[in-house]
Amino acid sequence: MTPITPAILSAIHILTKPLGEASAHDAQSSHQEALLAVLRANRALLHERLQSESSFEEVRRLREEVMVAADWFGGDTEDSAWGFVQECLLLLLTLARHLSAELKLFQQTPTPPAARQRTPEMAPPLPPDVLGVAQQQTLGAALQFVVSLGLCPYLAAGVGVSLGRRSAFGAMVDQLVHGGAVPAAGRRLLTTTNILLQLAELSCLATLVFTRHLGDVLAALCQLGYQPRRAERSGTEEGKMQELSAEECQMCKEALKGLQGKVYQPMIIKELLILQGPKQSAGGSSRGSSSRAVLRPAPTWLKRLCGQLLSERLMQPHGVQAVVRAILEGGTGGDSDWRKCDCVARILVTCPQQSASADTYYRHVCHQILGLLHFKDQLTAQQHQRVATRAVLFMVQEQPSCAQQYLLTPLLGPLHRCTTASDEAHLQAAVDEWELTRCVNDVYKVWVVGNSPSASLLEALEQVLPVLFTLFCFTKQNVSHLRAPCQEVLLWYLSHAETSAALSALRRLSGLQGQKNQVAADFHFAPGSDGGARLSSRERFSEEDDALYEKLSGEQWRLECLTQLLSELKDCDLPGDFFLDLLQEMAGWSAAADGAEEDEPELDVSTMTLVEVEQRLLAPSARQDQRLSLLQLLAVMVDCLQHTVLLRKTSQVVDFLMSLLQRACVGLDQAPGPNPGNPVESETLRMGMGVVATLLSGPELSIEDYSSMSRLLPPLELLSQKHSEPVIQELASDLRALIATRGAYRPEDFTAVAPPSRNPKTTVKNISVPSRKTKANDSQTSAQSSRPHSNSPSNTHRAAAGVSPKGGGRTSGTSNLYLPTKPLSDWLLEACDPDVPTRAFALRVLTQMVQNENPEAVQAQEQVLMLFLENLEHEDSFIYLSAIQGLSALADSYPERILERLLKDFQHGPSLPASNQEHSLEFRLKVGEVLMRASRAMGDLAAHLGRPLIGVFLQGTRDPDQSVRASSLSNLGELCQRLDYTLGTLAQEVLSDVLLDLYRALKWVVRSDPDDVAVLHAQLALEEMDDVMRRFIFPEQKLEKKIVVLP
């Protein structure tokens, strides 16, 4: 920095220094007079110092050169304030001209050699326009005087923020300048504005000008370039000379345009919004707020101009982001910021009046709105995403056609491309991972986070729902961060769509209804490199069996994923409605089949085309495929969904029973004579009627409950008249009478079916839908009809199905089984009965006797153990599951002896003489299930009893059969959860010998395995092992201070 620059800044400091104490006592009549006095005194002092001191000689010369070239300088003027402003402008121009010359010379000077420049003792030379902090403060004070005395006082009313609104000093200056008539206000405003723009051409001065006075400069340029001319002109020659010419107004317009493109856009937009002024309310200035009362509304021409300029800024590239930053920058994320976000979104979706057309405006703005969804910074991302989400929702409501064309279609574009992919780019992904990831995240932000369901949003999402569901099924098979957003989007649609639309969507997702908008054929989702997914071409199978297996396994997996989605809808009636809709369709199969057999005419091939013939011939096969798919879906839903999800309301239970009774009534009209029927269907019908009786046994049934049950009257009447079994006829007649009379008539033996003390709410929650058919035959049913009362058909079958003979409710497990008074020997005999329900019920009773520590069962525990082991080999699941439960109870009561026997059988297979060695694998797996249940029941004893199990399970992990290995690993995981602190020593003993082999195996997987997912898991395992070993070898040092209190 040359010595001239500090001298110029020293002169500026003399001109702008504060009022001294001596001068303050000399001028105390008023603040305005004191200010004028100090302005005159500082200006006189500056002139004196410039003339007398040699250090200011060069400054005086430069100042005189600038003064000669300045045609606006008026010399001695009577207006002290304007004279002071002129002096400030002269010195600022002097400084700017000097710095420009020095900077140009600095740029022309050759730089020193690189080797010399990099020496430690030599710093790089600073440009001459670099100013210190104190120098910047001096310049800031001078600029503030120039703007306060030479610019703001000459702005028209309502243009910019008045000085009175800024500070007490500003109010005093405002009164000082406006106290009398101000001649040539426009000319003075033009002079000050031009010089400020000249100063801003230098970068070091532009920062000071625009960071503090940008709004004032914009206000001055708007007034100079766009303020309408007054009709009455000044008649004098001097007045005409003071008016601005058309060239000068055009120059101000060009300067305003250039300034908007040069300055940081959010600052420009913020200042333009301030220039627009406050929004006038209907109540005017007497609204009640004193702070708002002094704010003058902006003139109409200025409001129109600011609106036009803001629209131009918005239409520029990144204009939307600039508007959002201008309004939201500096926010803290509180409630006020959220309201600001909604306001900004409302501004963005409102087409300005200055726009040529709405279509042009939305075409420029909408893609920028979508860009707001992709910010990375947390606070900024939340605010920008809120603005984008609300803007999309507002636009969907107000401009649905434009929103569909410019917002929803581009946003959902990658998902739409999944349905139209082609094999043109075989070696390249049809849809890249980053596109799918961004698309799914954007859909989650707009639909789920925005949470404003409308017909347009639901319809747009419905079109890509099959692709989203396919992607969700893929993420369920892999580790992917897209699983949660896909699931949330699917659940949002199913929760907010109309019931009919949701049911139709579920049918499409399950494959029961059409294949519209599915992923393109020969394409599938593949794992991405960043944990996402990409759409790529599928490899063709060389064998038809492989392709068929892939197709069937894929369909089964889709159904399981669909049921998992339905299980998440716990507080929604949709799963139950879908289940009942499927049952209703299945109920019409029999009637439709009978009608088709009667009405189907013979095919007249001569009058049909080949396509029609093919369609007619393939129609039965298509119907059969549809029915098989529906049965498969029903089986998966019953197996995977709890009854509390499927039937959560009384009305849904009644609908289910209605479907059950309608299926039972099919064919009764065509068979007037006695018909033996199907014993399984008869037993199912009895259970359904038991559920109806349980519902009717509630203490307080409302009118709505009876109204919903009145739909059961027609099928009950038909069953009471035409069913082949008298028991069902009698039960249907009693139920019909009870429903028709609304409880006024109750049969005497009705309590044998359902007790009147049953709670109806509990009944609805405990009703279980039969998930599989119990194996039974006609001989078993007829043989049981001649037994005593305790073993009557109704009691036996109710007990086997989990229904108490004295209570019509479903029981849970064996804890509430009804135990008739029989000796243990009878139950042991019945446990060997060939009748499946009788044997299963006896095994359940024996299990409960073991749990209750019955003395007879304790003495005969060896016989009970052998009995359970024999039944463990039974082929019926009802039998061997009861045996598994019994063995678990024995292991819980007598763990040491029973576990030893079970571990031996798990290792070597069945040890009974009559055991079938061909089914040894199945037997070992069933024993593994027993050991897993025993491990769960150990509790705190796992540390003592778990060591033998650990050894056997570890040996099982090396078994040649993969099923035994899987069972051993599962049991190890179950047992390790309960070992707590003892797991550490066991793990050390086990891993000490195999740790090196494990490390080598993981390294081999990382280097050689073709599966990307396996490589990822192996890398994670290696990193975990590395962290553990580092903590073990290099333990973390802790600096602790302990205070010990001596006794």
Side-chain angles (χ1 to χ4, degrees):
M1 182 182 296
T2 60
I4 302 178
T5 301
I8 299 175
L9 290 171
S10 177
I12 295 176
H13 178 69
I14 294 172
L15 188 63
T16 59
K17 69 179 180 179
L19 178 66
E21 294 184 2
S23 300
H25 291 293
D26 294 340
Q28 284 295 325
S29 58
S30 65
H31 292 291
Q32 288 83 2
E33 293 179 0
L35 177 60
L36 291 176
V38 77
L39 295 180
R40 287 192 293 265
N42 286 357
R43 187 182 180 194
L45 179 61
L46 175 64
H47 289 169
E48 180 183 351
R49 297 282 295 272
L50 289 176
Q51 296 296 330
S52 61
E53 297 185 9
S54 59
S55 59
F56 289 108
E57 182 178 355
E58 189 66 24
V59 177
R60 183 176 65 254
R61 185 185 64 80
L62 293 175
R63 175 180 173 276
E64 289 175 355
E65 292 178 0
V66 173
M67 185 171 55
V68 170
D71 55 353
W72 47 266
F73 188 75
D76 295 333
T77 176
E78 297 179 359
D79 191 345
S80 301
W82 178 244
F84 183 82
V85 170
Q86 286 183 326
E87 201 64 48
C88 289
L89 294 176
L90 278 178
L91 291 178
L92 290 173
L93 281 177
T94 302
L95 177 64
R97 179 173 296 183
H98 171 69
L99 290 178
S100 299
E102 292 292 329
L103 186 61
K104 184 177 180 180
L105 183 62
F106 175 81
Q107 294 173 351
Q108 294 176 353
T109 303
T111 57
R116 184 183 175 190
Q117 190 175 0
R118 292 175 183 174
T119 55
E121 64 274 6
M122 182 178 180
L126 289 176
D129 62 343
V130 177
L131 303 176
V133 176
Q135 295 171 340
Q136 291 183 11
Q137 291 179 351
T138 301
L139 285 177
L143 291 173
Q144 187 173 1
F145 272 112
V146 169
V147 172
S148 300
L149 299 176
L151 190 147
C152 291
Y154 305 115
L155 294 175
V159 179
V161 180
S162 64
L163 289 175
R165 289 284 299 160
R166 305 185 187 185
S167 64
F169 175 76
M172 180 185 66
V173 172
D174 193 32
Q175 296 176 5
L176 172 67
V177 179
H178 286 91
V182 180
R187 184 63 56 182
R188 292 184 178 183
L189 181 62
L190 177 64
T191 299
T192 305
T193 305
N194 284 336
I195 295 177
L196 288 176
L197 292 177
Q198 293 178 29
L199 296 176
E201 294 177 359
L202 201 62
S203 60
C204 63
L205 300 181
T207 304
L208 297 174
V209 173
F210 292 143
T211 55
R212 301 183 183 181
H213 310 291
L214 177 61
D216 298 322
V217 175
L218 286 175
L221 290 175
C222 290
Q223 178 174 322
L224 292 171
Y226 294 93
Q227 185 182 25
R229 304 290 181 88
R230 295 183 180 179
E232 58 276 5
R233 302 282 183 173
S234 177
T236 64
E237 190 70 23
E238 182 181 359
K240 293 181 179 180
M241 291 179 60
Q242 299 297 334
E243 293 180 358
L244 301 181
S245 63
E247 292 77 8
E248 291 174 332
C249 293
Q250 183 64 29
M251 182 191 65
C252 292
K253 294 179 180 179
E254 296 294 334
L256 177 62
K257 183 178 180 181
L259 184 61
Q260 291 182 85
K262 184 168 57 176
V263 182
Y264 182 54
Q265 292 301 296
M267 291 179 59
I268 290 287
I269 293 173
K270 185 182 296 184
E271 296 299 337
L272 288 176
L273 289 173
I274 295 175
L275 281 179
Q276 267 192 319
K279 183 179 179 180
Q280 273 189 307
S281 60
S285 62
S286 61
R287 188 176 177 181
S289 175
S290 60
S291 62
R292 299 274 296 194
V294 266
L295 281 177
R296 294 182 178 179
T300 304
W301 64 268
L302 182 59
K303 289 184 178 181
R304 188 182 303 110
L305 174 63
C306 290
Q308 181 179 353
L309 295 178
L310 286 171
S311 301
E312 293 176 358
R313 294 299 96 200
L314 187 60
M315 299 285 284
Q316 294 295 321
H318 307 291
V320 171
Q321 180 181 344
V323 171
V324 175
R325 287 185 180 275
I327 300 177
L328 299 180
E329 259 185 354
T332 59
D335 294 339
S336 60
D337 289 338
W338 295 123
R339 287 193 291 269
K340 286 182 182 179
C341 293
D342 290 349
C343 294
V344 175
R346 182 67 69 179
I347 292 173
L348 295 178
V349 302
T350 303
C351 181
Q353 298 178 355
Q354 295 81 4
S355 179
S357 65
D359 186 78
T360 304
Y361 172 77
Y362 289 125
R363 186 170 61 252
H364 282 84
V365 169
C366 286
H367 74 278
Q368 298 187 46
I369 292 177
L370 295 179
L372 298 178
L373 295 170
H374 309 140
F375 278 80
K376 302 300 182 183
D377 182 65
Q378 290 297 324
L379 179 60
T380 306
Q382 290 180 1
Q383 294 177 338
H384 285 64
Q385 289 170 13
R386 171 76 177 183
V387 171
T389 301
R390 299 302 297 171
V392 172
L393 297 178
F394 288 152
M395 194 166 172
V396 167
Q397 295 174 0
E398 300 173 5
Q399 302 287 341
S401 59
C402 292
Q404 180 66 37
Q405 182 178 0
Y406 298 120
L407 284 177
L408 299 183
T409 300
L411 191 149
L412 300 173
L415 295 177
H416 283 296
R417 282 164 49 201
C418 293
T419 64
T420 59
S422 61
D423 288 330
E424 295 178 358
H426 182 73
L427 300 178
Q428 188 178 5
V431 181
D432 293 329
E433 178 186 5
W434 68 269
E435 291 182 280
L436 271 179
T437 300
R438 172 176 288 188
C439 178
V440 172
N441 290 332
D442 290 349
V443 171
Y444 173 79
K445 294 169 187 175
V446 174
W447 272 264
V448 180
V449 179
N451 196 23
S452 180
S454 63
S456 301
L457 285 178
L458 291 171
E459 182 180 357
L461 185 59
E462 183 183 0
Q463 296 177 1
V464 297
L465 209 63
V467 180
L468 269 176
F469 179 68
T470 305
L471 180 59
F472 170 71
C473 295
F474 168 77
T475 59
K476 293 288 288 184
Q477 295 176 322
N478 302 275
V479 179
S480 176
H481 56 79
L482 295 179
R483 181 188 305 172
C486 286
Q487 177 174 326
E488 293 298 327
V489 172
L490 291 170
L491 292 176
W492 184 90
Y493 177 83
L494 295 176
S495 302
H496 293 85
E498 296 290 337
T499 303
S500 58
L503 292 177
S504 177
L506 288 175
R507 282 182 167 274
R508 288 198 304 274
L509 298 182
S510 62
L512 296 178
Q513 179 179 329
Q515 298 292 329
K516 186 179 179 182
N517 296 329
Q518 297 287 343
V519 176
D522 298 330
F523 282 85
H524 71 136
F525 290 110
S529 58
D530 296 329
R534 57 186 176 87
L535 187 72
S536 59
S537 179
R538 187 196 305 271
E539 297 181 1
R540 299 182 183 274
F541 292 97
S542 58
E543 298 292 338
E544 294 184 0
D545 294 342
D546 296 339
L548 179 61
Y549 173 78
E550 183 73 15
K551 179 178 180 297
L552 295 179
S553 60
E555 292 177 353
Q556 178 68 20
W557 178 246
R558 287 175 64 91
L559 294 181
E560 293 178 5
C561 293
L562 183 63
T563 54
Q564 291 178 9
L565 274 179
L566 294 176
S567 65
E568 296 295 331
L569 298 171
K570 294 182 174 56
D571 299 328
C572 181
D573 297 336
L574 183 62
D577 294 339
F578 184 52
F579 179 67
L580 295 173
D581 184 57
L582 297 178
L583 289 179
Q584 189 68 27
E585 181 179 348
M586 190 176 67
W589 287 354
S590 300
D594 296 339
E597 292 178 359
E598 295 177 358
D599 302 335
E600 184 176 1
E602 294 184 0
L603 290 179
D604 188 5
V605 182
S606 60
T607 61
M608 300 172 63
T609 63
L610 290 177
V611 177
E612 292 176 346
V613 172
E614 183 180 6
Q615 291 177 351
R616 292 292 298 272
L617 292 177
L618 293 179
S621 177
R623 286 196 299 268
Q624 191 69 13
D625 292 343
Q626 180 79 3
R627 294 179 179 181
L628 289 176
S629 299
L630 190 145
L631 289 175
Q632 183 185 14
L633 176 57
L634 280 174
V636 174
M637 290 182 66
V638 171
D639 285 340
C640 299
L641 296 179
Q642 298 181 358
H643 59 274
T644 54
V645 178
L646 289 176
L647 303 175
R648 60 187 298 266
K649 295 194 310 183
T650 304
S651 60
Q652 291 180 333
V653 177
V654 174
D655 291 338
F656 169 71
L657 295 173
M658 185 68 181
S659 176
L660 180 64
L661 296 178
Q662 285 179 347
R663 287 202 307 272
C665 293
V666 173
L668 293 181
D669 294 334
Q670 287 78 14
N675 183 15
N678 191 336
V680 176
E681 293 181 357
S682 300
E683 189 64 28
T684 305
L685 184 57
R686 289 195 192 97
M687 293 177 62
M689 290 186 174
V691 173
V692 179
T694 304
L695 291 175
L696 292 171
S697 63
E700 295 181 1
L701 289 177
S702 62
I703 299 177
E704 291 78 8
D705 294 336
Y706 279 113
S707 299
S708 62
M709 292 183 190
S710 62
R711 293 179 296 158
L712 304 176
L713 292 177
L716 286 175
E717 181 179 4
L718 185 60
L719 289 173
S720 65
Q721 296 175 358
K722 298 188 177 182
H723 200 275
S724 59
E725 297 188 15
V727 178
I728 293 181
Q729 289 185 357
E730 182 180 0
L731 184 56
S733 178
D734 292 341
L735 292 175
R736 178 176 173 275
L738 186 59
I739 295 174
T741 60
R742 303 208 170 183
Y745 167 76
R746 186 178 293 271
E748 296 180 357
D749 58 345
F750 186 70
T751 56
V753 179
S757 60
R758 186 80 175 179
N759 187 352
K761 295 182 180 180
T762 308
T763 301
V764 174
K765 292 181 180 180
N766 291 334
I767 289 175
S768 175
V769 181
S771 61
R772 56 176 296 167
K773 296 181 179 181
T774 306
K775 294 184 179 180
N777 51 44
D778 298 342
S779 61
Q780 296 170 356
T781 307
S782 60
Q784 290 174 355
S785 61
S786 60
R787 294 188 180 182
H789 176 71
S790 61
N791 290 335
S792 62
S794 59
N795 290 339
T796 303
H797 285 286
R798 285 170 185 164
V803 181
S804 173
K806 290 188 178 181
R810 181 89 176 176
T811 61
S812 176
T814 61
S815 57
N816 295 324
L817 277 177
Y818 174 71
L819 293 179
T821 57
K822 284 185 180 182
L824 178 65
S825 59
D826 292 348
W827 292 116
L828 293 175
L829 290 175
E830 289 194 7
C832 301
D833 196 291
D835 181 25
V836 171
T838 303
R839 177 184 290 195
F841 183 65
L843 291 175
R844 298 286 179 116
V845 172
L846 289 174
T847 300
Q848 188 171 0
M849 293 176 71
V850 171
Q851 291 175 341
N852 296 337
E853 298 182 355
N854 185 279
E856 295 181 347
V858 172
Q859 294 179 0
Q861 59 177 275
E862 187 66 28
Q863 300 178 16
V864 175
L865 173 62
M866 294 301 174
L867 187 63
F868 283 144
L869 290 175
E870 291 176 358
N871 284 280
L872 197 61
E873 301 183 45
H874 200 280
E875 61 179 5
D876 191 276
S877 61
F878 205 7
I879 301 298
Y880 69 74
L881 287 177
S882 301
I884 287 175
Q885 192 168 1
L887 288 172
S888 301
L890 278 174
D892 188 27
S893 302
Y894 317 103
E896 296 182 352
R897 193 172 67 84
I898 302 300
L899 287 177
E900 182 181 357
R901 175 64 180 272
L902 293 177
L903 289 175
K904 181 180 177 182
D905 290 345
F906 181 72
Q907 282 183 293
H908 308 292
S911 57
L912 296 177
S915 299
N916 187 356
Q917 297 300 326
E918 295 180 358
H919 299 85
S920 174
L921 176 60
E922 298 179 7
F923 182 82
R924 293 176 65 189
L925 295 178
K926 294 173 184 177
V927 175
E929 175 70 19
V930 176
L931 292 174
M932 185 185 68
R933 297 192 182 191
S935 301
R936 291 177 181 172
M938 283 182 183
D940 296 336
L941 292 177
H944 172 66
L945 301 174
R947 282 185 173 271
L949 274 70
I950 288 286
V952 173
F953 293 156
L954 287 175
Q955 293 179 7
T957 57
R958 301 183 178 182
D959 194 272
D961 190 272
Q962 60 180 0
S963 300
V964 177
R965 293 199 301 270
S967 177
S968 301
L969 288 172
S970 177
N971 291 342
L972 274 175
E974 193 71 35
L975 187 58
C976 289
Q977 294 180 12
R978 289 156 179 81
L979 288 177
D980 296 333
Y981 61 90
T982 59
L983 182 60
T985 57
L986 290 173
Q988 186 175 0
E989 295 176 7
V990 173
L991 294 178
S992 59
D993 298 331
V994 300
L995 191 59
L996 182 59
D997 296 335
L998 177 62
Y999 177 78
R1000 290 173 177 172
L1002 291 174
K1003 294 290 287 185
W1004 182 87
V1005 170
V1006 171
R1007 294 173 182 172
S1008 307
D1009 199 295
D1011 189 358
D1012 295 338
V1013 179
V1015 171
L1016 174 63
H1017 287 292
Q1019 288 176 342
L1020 294 176
L1022 286 174
E1023 293 175 2
E1024 188 68 25
M1025 291 178 64
D1026 183 68
D1027 293 341
V1028 172
M1029 295 304 299
R1030 287 180 182 274
R1031 289 196 299 268
F1032 177 74
I1033 299 175
F1034 307 106
E1036 182 181 359
Q1037 297 182 359
K1038 295 183 179 179
L1039 300 177
E1040 298 181 351
K1041 182 182 293 184
K1042 294 183 179 180
I1043 300 177
V1044 180
V1045 180
L1046 298 176

